[in-house]
mmCIF file of all heavy atoms in Angstrom:
data_model
loop_
_atom_site.group_PDB
_atom_site.id
_atom_site.type_symbol
_atom_site.label_atom_id
_atom_site.label_comp_id
_atom_site.label_asym_id
_atom_site.label_seq_id
_atom_site.Cartn_x
_atom_site.Cartn_y
_atom_site.Cartn_z
ATOM 1 N N HIS B 20 -62.045 91.935 15.836
ATOM 2 C CA HIS B 20 -61.300 93.070 16.354
ATOM 3 C C HIS B 20 -60.883 94.006 15.221
ATOM 4 O O HIS B 20 -60.915 95.227 15.380
ATOM 5 C CB HIS B 20 -60.081 92.600 17.159
ATOM 6 C CG HIS B 20 -60.462 92.030 18.491
ATOM 7 N ND1 HIS B 20 -60.938 92.810 19.513
ATOM 8 C CD2 HIS B 20 -60.462 90.763 18.948
ATOM 9 C CE1 HIS B 20 -61.211 92.049 20.553
ATOM 10 N NE2 HIS B 20 -60.933 90.810 20.235
ATOM 11 N N ALA B 21 -60.520 93.461 14.078
ATOM 12 C CA ALA B 21 -60.159 94.281 12.927
ATOM 13 C C ALA B 21 -61.375 95.061 12.432
ATOM 14 O O ALA B 21 -61.271 96.251 12.108
ATOM 15 C CB ALA B 21 -59.591 93.411 11.813
ATOM 16 N N LEU B 22 -62.547 94.425 12.385
ATOM 17 C CA LEU B 22 -63.775 95.092 11.969
ATOM 18 C C LEU B 22 -64.097 96.243 12.913
ATOM 19 O O LEU B 22 -64.461 97.338 12.474
ATOM 20 C CB LEU B 22 -64.943 94.107 11.921
ATOM 21 C CG LEU B 22 -66.314 94.687 11.578
ATOM 22 C CD1 LEU B 22 -66.295 95.325 10.191
ATOM 23 C CD2 LEU B 22 -67.376 93.614 11.662
ATOM 24 N N THR B 23 -63.942 96.038 14.205
ATOM 25 C CA THR B 23 -64.180 97.104 15.178
ATOM 26 C C THR B 23 -63.264 98.282 14.903
ATOM 27 O O THR B 23 -63.699 99.433 14.874
ATOM 28 C CB THR B 23 -63.957 96.594 16.613
ATOM 29 O OG1 THR B 23 -64.856 95.506 16.860
ATOM 30 C CG2 THR B 23 -64.202 97.687 17.629
ATOM 31 N N ALA B 24 -61.982 98.016 14.675
ATOM 32 C CA ALA B 24 -61.015 99.088 14.428
ATOM 33 C C ALA B 24 -61.370 99.855 13.158
ATOM 34 O O ALA B 24 -61.305 101.088 13.126
ATOM 35 C CB ALA B 24 -59.610 98.513 14.330
ATOM 36 N N VAL B 25 -61.776 99.145 12.105
ATOM 37 C CA VAL B 25 -62.130 99.799 10.843
ATOM 38 C C VAL B 25 -63.366 100.670 11.027
ATOM 39 O O VAL B 25 -63.404 101.816 10.581
ATOM 40 C CB VAL B 25 -62.358 98.756 9.726
ATOM 41 C CG1 VAL B 25 -63.006 99.380 8.512
ATOM 42 C CG2 VAL B 25 -61.033 98.106 9.358
ATOM 43 N N LEU B 26 -64.384 100.156 11.711
ATOM 44 C CA LEU B 26 -65.599 100.935 11.925
ATOM 45 C C LEU B 26 -65.313 102.202 12.713
ATOM 46 O O LEU B 26 -65.826 103.272 12.404
ATOM 47 C CB LEU B 26 -66.656 100.102 12.653
ATOM 48 C CG LEU B 26 -67.329 99.035 11.819
ATOM 49 C CD1 LEU B 26 -68.178 98.129 12.700
ATOM 50 C CD2 LEU B 26 -68.178 99.663 10.742
ATOM 51 N N LEU B 27 -64.480 102.096 13.729
ATOM 52 C CA LEU B 27 -64.158 103.271 14.528
ATOM 53 C C LEU B 27 -63.367 104.286 13.727
ATOM 54 O O LEU B 27 -63.569 105.490 13.874
ATOM 55 C CB LEU B 27 -63.389 102.858 15.783
ATOM 56 C CG LEU B 27 -64.176 101.978 16.749
ATOM 57 C CD1 LEU B 27 -63.310 101.596 17.934
ATOM 58 C CD2 LEU B 27 -65.439 102.670 17.209
ATOM 59 N N ALA B 28 -62.494 103.827 12.854
ATOM 60 C CA ALA B 28 -61.689 104.732 12.041
ATOM 61 C C ALA B 28 -62.546 105.472 11.018
ATOM 62 O O ALA B 28 -62.223 106.589 10.623
ATOM 63 C CB ALA B 28 -60.584 103.956 11.339
ATOM 64 N N LEU B 29 -63.651 104.883 10.587
ATOM 65 C CA LEU B 29 -64.504 105.485 9.572
ATOM 66 C C LEU B 29 -65.477 106.508 10.128
ATOM 67 O O LEU B 29 -66.186 107.167 9.372
ATOM 68 C CB LEU B 29 -65.296 104.395 8.842
ATOM 69 C CG LEU B 29 -64.464 103.448 7.991
ATOM 70 C CD1 LEU B 29 -65.351 102.358 7.417
ATOM 71 C CD2 LEU B 29 -63.744 104.198 6.888
ATOM 72 N N LEU B 30 -65.535 106.646 11.441
ATOM 73 C CA LEU B 30 -66.491 107.558 12.045
ATOM 74 C C LEU B 30 -65.765 108.826 12.479
ATOM 75 O O LEU B 30 -65.292 108.932 13.592
ATOM 76 C CB LEU B 30 -67.181 106.886 13.232
ATOM 77 C CG LEU B 30 -67.921 105.611 12.845
ATOM 78 C CD1 LEU B 30 -68.387 104.875 14.069
ATOM 79 C CD2 LEU B 30 -69.075 105.919 11.935
ATOM 80 N N PRO B 31 -65.659 109.812 11.599
ATOM 81 C CA PRO B 31 -64.832 110.990 11.862
ATOM 82 C C PRO B 31 -65.326 111.816 13.033
ATOM 83 O O PRO B 31 -66.493 112.104 13.146
ATOM 84 C CB PRO B 31 -64.940 111.789 10.559
ATOM 85 C CG PRO B 31 -66.216 111.355 9.942
ATOM 86 C CD PRO B 31 -66.422 109.920 10.375
ATOM 87 N N GLY B 32 -64.378 112.177 13.892
ATOM 88 C CA GLY B 32 -64.650 113.109 14.963
ATOM 89 C C GLY B 32 -65.547 112.610 16.069
ATOM 90 O O GLY B 32 -65.405 113.013 17.198
ATOM 91 N N ALA B 33 -66.506 111.769 15.768
ATOM 92 C CA ALA B 33 -67.474 111.354 16.772
ATOM 93 C C ALA B 33 -66.809 110.644 17.931
ATOM 94 O O ALA B 33 -67.228 110.784 19.068
ATOM 95 C CB ALA B 33 -68.527 110.443 16.149
ATOM 96 N N TRP B 34 -65.773 109.879 17.638
ATOM 97 C CA TRP B 34 -65.138 109.099 18.708
ATOM 98 C C TRP B 34 -64.280 109.958 19.599
ATOM 99 O O TRP B 34 -63.980 109.591 20.720
ATOM 100 C CB TRP B 34 -64.305 107.977 18.102
ATOM 101 C CG TRP B 34 -65.155 107.138 17.234
ATOM 102 C CD1 TRP B 34 -65.118 107.085 15.882
ATOM 103 C CD2 TRP B 34 -66.220 106.286 17.633
ATOM 104 N NE1 TRP B 34 -66.080 106.231 15.420
ATOM 105 C CE2 TRP B 34 -66.775 105.733 16.481
ATOM 106 C CE3 TRP B 34 -66.765 105.942 18.863
ATOM 107 C CZ2 TRP B 34 -67.832 104.857 16.502
ATOM 108 C CZ3 TRP B 34 -67.824 105.062 18.885
ATOM 109 C CH2 TRP B 34 -68.344 104.536 17.722
ATOM 110 N N ALA B 35 -63.868 111.120 19.143
ATOM 111 C CA ALA B 35 -63.013 111.977 19.950
ATOM 112 C C ALA B 35 -63.817 112.894 20.858
ATOM 113 O O ALA B 35 -63.268 113.612 21.664
ATOM 114 C CB ALA B 35 -62.123 112.812 19.037
ATOM 115 N N ALA B 36 -65.134 112.863 20.741
ATOM 116 C CA ALA B 36 -65.961 113.759 21.551
ATOM 117 C C ALA B 36 -65.766 113.482 23.027
ATOM 118 O O ALA B 36 -65.615 112.352 23.445
ATOM 119 C CB ALA B 36 -67.439 113.556 21.174
ATOM 120 N N ASP B 37 -65.765 114.559 23.807
ATOM 121 C CA ASP B 37 -65.640 114.390 25.247
ATOM 122 C C ASP B 37 -66.969 113.877 25.766
ATOM 123 O O ASP B 37 -67.991 114.517 25.628
ATOM 124 C CB ASP B 37 -65.290 115.723 25.899
ATOM 125 C CG ASP B 37 -65.163 115.603 27.400
ATOM 126 O OD1 ASP B 37 -64.930 114.479 27.882
ATOM 127 O OD2 ASP B 37 -65.307 116.624 28.087
ATOM 128 N N ALA B 38 -66.945 112.704 26.373
ATOM 129 C CA ALA B 38 -68.184 112.082 26.793
ATOM 130 C C ALA B 38 -68.362 112.048 28.289
ATOM 131 O O ALA B 38 -69.250 111.394 28.789
ATOM 132 C CB ALA B 38 -68.242 110.660 26.250
ATOM 133 N N ALA B 39 -67.541 112.737 29.023
ATOM 134 C CA ALA B 39 -67.646 112.667 30.467
ATOM 135 C C ALA B 39 -69.031 113.067 30.938
ATOM 136 O O ALA B 39 -69.552 112.533 31.892
ATOM 137 C CB ALA B 39 -66.587 113.557 31.110
ATOM 138 N N ASP B 40 -69.669 114.011 30.240
ATOM 139 C CA ASP B 40 -71.003 114.423 30.660
ATOM 140 C C ASP B 40 -72.076 113.902 29.708
ATOM 141 O O ASP B 40 -73.243 114.233 29.861
ATOM 142 C CB ASP B 40 -71.072 115.942 30.756
ATOM 143 C CG ASP B 40 -70.804 116.612 29.423
ATOM 144 O OD1 ASP B 40 -70.537 115.918 28.437
ATOM 145 O OD2 ASP B 40 -70.862 117.843 29.393
ATOM 146 N N GLY B 41 -71.708 113.090 28.725
ATOM 147 C CA GLY B 41 -72.676 112.522 27.794
ATOM 148 C C GLY B 41 -73.192 113.527 26.780
ATOM 149 O O GLY B 41 -74.159 113.255 26.106
ATOM 150 N N ASP B 42 -72.588 114.693 26.662
ATOM 151 C CA ASP B 42 -73.076 115.742 25.791
ATOM 152 C C ASP B 42 -72.766 115.450 24.329
ATOM 153 O O ASP B 42 -71.755 115.884 23.810
ATOM 154 C CB ASP B 42 -72.463 117.079 26.213
ATOM 155 C CG ASP B 42 -72.999 118.234 25.386
ATOM 156 O OD1 ASP B 42 -74.051 118.078 24.751
ATOM 157 O OD2 ASP B 42 -72.345 119.284 25.386
ATOM 158 N N GLY B 43 -73.634 114.672 23.669
ATOM 159 C CA GLY B 43 -73.475 114.385 22.255
ATOM 160 C C GLY B 43 -72.378 113.400 21.933
ATOM 161 O O GLY B 43 -72.178 113.046 20.795
ATOM 162 N N GLY B 44 -71.637 112.940 22.916
ATOM 163 C CA GLY B 44 -70.519 112.043 22.672
ATOM 164 C C GLY B 44 -70.822 110.630 23.123
ATOM 165 O O GLY B 44 -71.595 109.917 22.503
ATOM 166 N N ARG B 45 -70.209 110.250 24.200
ATOM 167 C CA ARG B 45 -70.369 108.897 24.745
ATOM 168 C C ARG B 45 -70.504 108.989 26.255
ATOM 169 O O ARG B 45 -70.077 109.964 26.869
ATOM 170 C CB ARG B 45 -69.171 108.024 24.407
ATOM 171 C CG ARG B 45 -68.831 107.966 22.935
ATOM 172 C CD ARG B 45 -69.894 107.172 22.162
ATOM 173 N NE ARG B 45 -69.542 107.156 20.762
ATOM 174 C CZ ARG B 45 -69.915 108.081 19.895
ATOM 175 N NH1 ARG B 45 -70.660 109.086 20.267
ATOM 176 N NH2 ARG B 45 -69.558 108.009 18.637
ATOM 177 N N ALA B 46 -71.044 107.945 26.852
ATOM 178 C CA ALA B 46 -71.193 107.889 28.304
ATOM 179 C C ALA B 46 -71.198 106.434 28.748
ATOM 180 O O ALA B 46 -71.597 105.543 27.993
ATOM 181 C CB ALA B 46 -72.502 108.560 28.724
ATOM 182 N N TRP B 47 -70.735 106.188 29.963
ATOM 183 C CA TRP B 47 -70.871 104.850 30.529
ATOM 184 C C TRP B 47 -72.362 104.570 30.729
ATOM 185 O O TRP B 47 -73.103 105.466 31.135
ATOM 186 C CB TRP B 47 -70.169 104.772 31.886
ATOM 187 C CG TRP B 47 -68.691 104.629 31.783
ATOM 188 C CD1 TRP B 47 -67.763 105.617 31.974
ATOM 189 C CD2 TRP B 47 -67.960 103.441 31.470
ATOM 190 N NE1 TRP B 47 -66.498 105.109 31.789
ATOM 191 C CE2 TRP B 47 -66.594 103.774 31.486
ATOM 192 C CE3 TRP B 47 -68.326 102.131 31.178
ATOM 193 C CZ2 TRP B 47 -65.591 102.840 31.218
ATOM 194 C CZ3 TRP B 47 -67.330 101.204 30.910
ATOM 195 C CH2 TRP B 47 -65.985 101.555 30.934
ATOM 196 N N PRO B 48 -72.822 103.343 30.446
ATOM 197 C CA PRO B 48 -74.240 103.029 30.615
ATOM 198 C C PRO B 48 -74.710 103.010 32.066
ATOM 199 O O PRO B 48 -75.889 103.187 32.331
ATOM 200 C CB PRO B 48 -74.394 101.636 30.008
ATOM 201 C CG PRO B 48 -73.176 101.405 29.200
ATOM 202 C CD PRO B 48 -72.104 102.267 29.776
ATOM 203 N N VAL B 49 -73.803 102.785 33.006
ATOM 204 C CA VAL B 49 -74.148 102.815 34.427
ATOM 205 C C VAL B 49 -73.102 103.655 35.148
ATOM 206 O O VAL B 49 -71.974 103.793 34.672
ATOM 207 C CB VAL B 49 -74.238 101.392 35.049
ATOM 208 C CG1 VAL B 49 -75.420 100.626 34.483
ATOM 209 C CG2 VAL B 49 -72.956 100.619 34.864
ATOM 210 N N PRO B 50 -73.459 104.216 36.299
ATOM 211 C CA PRO B 50 -72.486 105.042 37.022
ATOM 212 C C PRO B 50 -71.355 104.208 37.612
ATOM 213 O O PRO B 50 -71.410 102.969 37.616
ATOM 214 C CB PRO B 50 -73.328 105.698 38.121
ATOM 215 C CG PRO B 50 -74.553 104.877 38.245
ATOM 216 C CD PRO B 50 -74.763 104.176 36.934
ATOM 217 N N ALA B 51 -70.361 104.894 38.134
ATOM 218 C CA ALA B 51 -69.234 104.223 38.781
ATOM 219 C C ALA B 51 -69.743 103.276 39.854
ATOM 220 O O ALA B 51 -70.756 103.536 40.509
ATOM 221 C CB ALA B 51 -68.291 105.255 39.387
ATOM 222 N N SER B 52 -69.023 102.174 40.031
ATOM 223 C CA SER B 52 -69.455 101.105 40.927
ATOM 224 C C SER B 52 -69.273 101.427 42.404
ATOM 225 O O SER B 52 -69.873 100.779 43.248
ATOM 226 C CB SER B 52 -68.689 99.823 40.600
ATOM 227 O OG SER B 52 -68.818 99.513 39.241
ATOM 228 N N ALA B 53 -68.437 102.401 42.719
ATOM 229 C CA ALA B 53 -68.191 102.745 44.116
ATOM 230 C C ALA B 53 -67.743 104.197 44.199
ATOM 231 O O ALA B 53 -67.202 104.736 43.236
ATOM 232 C CB ALA B 53 -67.116 101.818 44.703
ATOM 233 N N PRO B 54 -67.943 104.833 45.362
ATOM 234 C CA PRO B 54 -67.476 106.211 45.526
ATOM 235 C C PRO B 54 -65.977 106.304 45.265
ATOM 236 O O PRO B 54 -65.214 105.418 45.616
ATOM 237 C CB PRO B 54 -67.789 106.524 47.001
ATOM 238 C CG PRO B 54 -68.847 105.538 47.391
ATOM 239 C CD PRO B 54 -68.598 104.311 46.561
ATOM 240 N N GLY B 55 -65.574 107.362 44.608
ATOM 241 C CA GLY B 55 -64.161 107.577 44.311
ATOM 242 C C GLY B 55 -63.720 106.983 42.980
ATOM 243 O O GLY B 55 -62.644 107.296 42.485
ATOM 244 N N LEU B 56 -64.540 106.126 42.371
ATOM 245 C CA LEU B 56 -64.200 105.558 41.066
ATOM 246 C C LEU B 56 -64.744 106.463 39.967
ATOM 247 O O LEU B 56 -65.770 107.110 40.138
ATOM 248 C CB LEU B 56 -64.782 104.154 40.898
ATOM 249 C CG LEU B 56 -64.232 103.058 41.812
ATOM 250 C CD1 LEU B 56 -64.918 101.726 41.502
ATOM 251 C CD2 LEU B 56 -62.731 102.917 41.638
ATOM 252 N N ARG B 57 -64.058 106.484 38.827
ATOM 253 C CA ARG B 57 -64.511 107.289 37.691
ATOM 254 C C ARG B 57 -65.335 106.478 36.707
ATOM 255 O O ARG B 57 -65.899 107.032 35.777
ATOM 256 C CB ARG B 57 -63.303 107.875 36.961
ATOM 257 C CG ARG B 57 -62.585 108.929 37.759
ATOM 258 C CD ARG B 57 -61.457 109.533 36.986
ATOM 259 N NE ARG B 57 -61.908 109.910 35.651
ATOM 260 C CZ ARG B 57 -61.103 110.358 34.710
ATOM 261 N NH1 ARG B 57 -59.830 110.480 34.931
ATOM 262 N NH2 ARG B 57 -61.569 110.669 33.525
ATOM 263 N N ARG B 58 -65.365 105.167 36.878
ATOM 264 C CA ARG B 58 -66.048 104.305 35.917
ATOM 265 C C ARG B 58 -66.568 103.057 36.622
ATOM 266 O O ARG B 58 -66.103 102.714 37.702
ATOM 267 C CB ARG B 58 -65.094 103.914 34.807
ATOM 268 C CG ARG B 58 -63.822 103.266 35.357
ATOM 269 C CD ARG B 58 -62.932 102.747 34.315
ATOM 270 N NE ARG B 58 -63.305 101.371 34.044
ATOM 271 C CZ ARG B 58 -62.665 100.580 33.222
ATOM 272 N NH1 ARG B 58 -61.628 101.000 32.566
ATOM 273 N NH2 ARG B 58 -63.042 99.355 33.035
ATOM 274 N N PRO B 59 -67.524 102.372 35.998
ATOM 275 C CA PRO B 59 -67.989 101.123 36.607
ATOM 276 C C PRO B 59 -66.941 100.023 36.455
ATOM 277 O O PRO B 59 -66.080 100.079 35.578
ATOM 278 C CB PRO B 59 -69.260 100.786 35.814
ATOM 279 C CG PRO B 59 -69.107 101.499 34.520
ATOM 280 C CD PRO B 59 -68.257 102.711 34.782
ATOM 281 N N VAL B 60 -67.046 99.030 37.307
ATOM 282 C CA VAL B 60 -66.148 97.880 37.230
ATOM 283 C C VAL B 60 -66.646 96.943 36.138
ATOM 284 O O VAL B 60 -67.839 96.641 36.060
ATOM 285 C CB VAL B 60 -66.090 97.138 38.591
ATOM 286 C CG1 VAL B 60 -65.335 95.820 38.475
ATOM 287 C CG2 VAL B 60 -65.463 98.038 39.644
ATOM 288 N N VAL B 61 -65.742 96.506 35.277
ATOM 289 C CA VAL B 61 -66.085 95.510 34.258
ATOM 290 C C VAL B 61 -65.909 94.143 34.899
ATOM 291 O O VAL B 61 -64.796 93.714 35.173
ATOM 292 C CB VAL B 61 -65.185 95.653 33.005
ATOM 293 C CG1 VAL B 61 -65.495 94.548 31.991
ATOM 294 C CG2 VAL B 61 -65.360 97.028 32.367
#
């Protein structure tokens, strides 16, 4: 968990990108699990 935190801290700006549309930032690998949800169920 500490290694994860350090790696994320070393990646400037990339983690703050708005990823809702996947535009150069981040995106969920699969769509929401049900209508009305914003994210898939873990």
Side-chain angles (χ1 to χ4, degrees):
H20 286 290
L22 177 61
T23 301
V25 168
L26 286 170
L27 296 178
L29 293 176
L30 301 171
W34 304 109
D37 179 22
D40 61 358
D42 183 18
R45 306 290 179 271
W47 281 103
V49 292
S52 306
L56 294 180
R57 291 183 48 186
R58 55 174 270 184
V60 171
V61 176

